[in-house]
Amino acid sequence: MEREPVFEKLNELKINFSVIEHPPVFTIEEMDSLGIFEGVSVCKNLFVRNDKGDKHYLIVTCKNKQANLKDISSRITESRLSFASEERLSKYLGLKKGEVTPLGIINDAGHSVIIILDKDLDDGKPLGVHPNDNTATVTISFDDLVRYIEHFGNKFEIMTI
């Protein structure tokens, strides 16, 4: 996916960000192995769907946390959450496996993906997320990420995961 539209939107919204270029990475372990994210809270992003398949969620949490989907589903009053297919990821966020990022809502024309942000990400450290491309990481503040989400009109919730 193209990263330029993300950069243009961040600039348009006057959001401060920096870009760290790196080889393609597909997992948190690969990100960690690069050793270039000192002082950055690298985010883990999980694209999930409800049991009926009519609602999609992007869970954004700290890289070292395990997201308990059963607990999260009960807190958002869904019967069950499970990982969404790569086809759904492409359809709703225009992304491929390894590129999952909250910045991908730029491609969600229907504003249908609901974002769940881990409250623990709001610790003052810059967040590290992909710009719709897994060969770079954008650092952005928690508050600016919330502003970005609000700009696109996607529903979101902040909770401790």
Side-chain angles (χ1 to χ4, degrees):
M1 195 67 215
E2 298 244 353
R3 58 168 94 167
E4 286 309 314
V6 171
F7 296 156
E8 289 169 12
K9 184 56 69 176
L10 292 170
N11 284 322
E12 177 188 316
L13 296 172
K14 296 183 177 18
I15 290 176
N16 291 322
F17 68 98
S18 62
V19 180
I20 302 167
E21 301 284 346
H22 51 72
V25 290
F26 294 89
T27 65
I28 292 295
E29 292 75 23
E30 290 177 10
M31 294 277 288
D32 281 347
S33 72
L34 297 176
I36 58 175
F37 298 104
E38 188 68 36
V40 174
S41 293
V42 173
C43 295
K44 179 190 296 186
N45 302 283
L46 307 171
F47 187 62
V48 299
R49 54 170 271 205
N50 69 353
D51 207 25
K52 293 180 186 173
D54 62 351
K55 287 187 184 173
H56 295 82
Y57 298 86
L58 179 60
I59 300 168
V60 184
T61 187
C62 306
K63 70 175 184 172
N64 56 353
K65 279 196 177 181
Q66 294 296 323
N68 181 331
L69 296 183
K70 188 173 182 179
D71 175 60
I72 294 169
S73 66
S74 70
R75 290 163 64 193
I76 60 172
T77 63
E78 287 289 354
S79 60
R80 184 172 162 265
L81 292 176
S82 59
F83 288 97
S85 66
E86 286 188 55
E87 291 77 22
R88 287 175 185 263
L89 176 62
S90 177
K91 177 180 176 181
Y92 289 94
L93 292 176
L95 301 173
K96 296 178 188 155
K97 187 177 176 182
E99 298 174 338
V100 185
T101 172
L103 301 180
I105 63 171
I106 193 171
N107 302 320
D108 181 13
H111 315 294
S112 59
V113 176
I114 301 164
I115 313 297
I116 298 174
L117 295 173
D118 187 346
K119 187 173 182 1
D120 290 344
L121 290 170
D122 189 10
D123 65 358
K125 290 201 297 192
L127 305 181
V129 294
H130 290 313
N132 294 352
D133 171 353
N134 67 353
T135 63
T137 296
V138 167
T139 61
I140 184 174
S141 75
F142 182 87
D143 290 343
D144 282 341
L145 178 57
V146 169
R147 274 194 21 211
Y148 181 89
I149 295 167
E150 288 174 336
H151 170 78
F152 286 102
N154 291 67
K155 291 180 183 173
F156 70 96
E157 190 169 335
I158 300 171
M159 68 171 67
T160 302
I161 295 176

